[in-house]
Amino acid sequence: MAILVAGGAGYIGSHVCKILYKKGYEVVVYDNLSRGYREFAKWGEFIPGDIGDVRLLDNIFKHYKIDAVMHFCAFIEVAESVVDPQKYYENNVGNTLKLLEAMRQNNVNKFIFSSTAAVYGIPEKIPIKEDDRKMPINPYGKSKLMVEHILEDYDKAYGLNSICFRYFNAAGADPDGEIGEAHQPETHLIPLILDAALGKRDSIKIFGTDYNTKDGTCIRDFVHVNDLAEAHVRGLEYLLDGGETNYFNLGSGEGYSVREVIETVKKVTKKDFRVVEADRRPGDPAYLVADSTKAKEILGWKTKYSLDEIILTAWKWHSRIGESWQYWRG
Ligand code: UDP
């Protein structure tokens, strides 16, 4: 069974490739390395390329007899999407259409798409269920919801079966310490706190301390990257067994405040560092917590990693790459 993993050299994609490969799937890692790392593409065959390159994709689909596609290629910076929406719609929507077209031309009709909790915008209630109102508040979330709508229509018109996984806060790293989270620039909470713990930043800023939450800081649902990877394998098996197009929230169902995450990092790493209270970051909902009952009922999926384990695995990778960190960041 051959799986094309578009964006397989990125953070979540590489963890998925490792698990797919170990389960015996033939993995084709496809990535233009604009965000991913060549060193992360070591499970399966690596082919450098862009999802907008329909001719190259066409050759790959034919040569490898691809059965299903997983799609992790996207720009993910909310703030950047607000100032440069063209970049987001062109890559996240326009290039996804090209990938889907190459699939259609080759009769590949199983597709797993990385969506996001950002499709819900400001949630009406917590925890969030799949059928709740979807009203994204930034171009990033809108670009992901647009693809969800496109996939609905492609199912009806072309018989493309897909799964949209709406990730909550992906975090943590491969427990073997081989791959981990390294965005450029880094904007995510846990890697930034770990940088402060390593002394690579002089402090961590808390964006907003006046939210209507238990300690005034935002509440998020952190889900380990390998739990996400496991969901992808189950989703793939579901589609290969003839499962219909579907949508799943992927989160732990537990909400932690920004302050709690900082305290947990201090506890797990046994490092102290400066914490600075700052203004709110525009576009942050106070609460984002998933109800993932549907993934449990239909895919038999549940999270295995606690927040402590998420931070411990992330810390192991962060501290292992040590001095080479600058190299990874380019
Ligand atoms: N956050 C923070 N300081 C930082 C980075 C993030 O206080 O240096 C907060 C951010 O405002 C949000 C939470 O941490 O409330 C999670 O942010 P992140 O960017 O990691 O993920 P998001 O929830 O935006 O997908």
Side-chain angles (χ1 to χ4, degrees), residues 76-78 116-118 138 140 167-171 181 186-193 201 203-208 211 217-222 256-259 261-262 276 278-288:
I76 58 164
E77 301 299 327
V78 169
T116 168
N138 51 61
Y140 166 66
Y167 308 150
F168 281 63
N169 287 66
E181 187 171 12
E186 190 55 80
T187 60
H188 292 102
L189 181 64
I190 291 178
L192 287 175
I193 308 175
R201 306 170 58 82
S203 63
I204 181 74
K205 277 189 187 154
I206 300 181
F207 295 142
Y211 286 97
T217 67
C218 288
I219 307 279
R220 290 290 179 273
D221 178 339
F222 295 90
Y256 291 95
S257 74
V258 171
R259 277 193 214 280
V261 176
I262 292 171
V276 176
D279 290 343
R280 290 183 178 199
R281 191 174 68 174
D284 276 339
Y287 285 91
L288 281 177

Side-chain angles (χ1 to χ4, degrees), residues 160-204:
L160 178 86
N161 293 329
S162 64
I163 287 184
C164 295
F165 280 129
R166 297 181 187 137
Y167 308 150
F168 281 63
N169 287 66
D174 167 40
D176 303 331
E178 291 189 275
I179 42 180
E181 187 171 12
H183 298 110
Q184 302 178 47
E186 190 55 80
T187 60
H188 292 102
L189 181 64
I190 291 178
L192 287 175
I193 308 175
L194 294 176
D195 277 354
L198 277 175
K200 291 184 186 288
R201 306 170 58 82
D202 68 350
S203 63
I204 181 74

Side-chain angles (χ1 to χ4, degrees), residues 130 148 151-152 163-166 245-249 294:
E130 285 80 356
E148 291 199 6
L151 291 173
E152 246 174 72
I163 287 184
C164 295
F165 280 129
R166 297 181 187 137
T245 291
N246 225 326
Y247 307 83
F248 298 99
N249 286 341
K294 190 174 167 191

Side-chain angles (χ1 to χ4, degrees), residues 58-71:
D58 191 52
N59 286 336
I60 293 171
F61 284 127
K62 290 191 167 61
H63 181 81
Y64 292 94
K65 298 189 174 53
I66 297 293
D67 295 286
V69 174
M70 297 189 182
H71 175 26

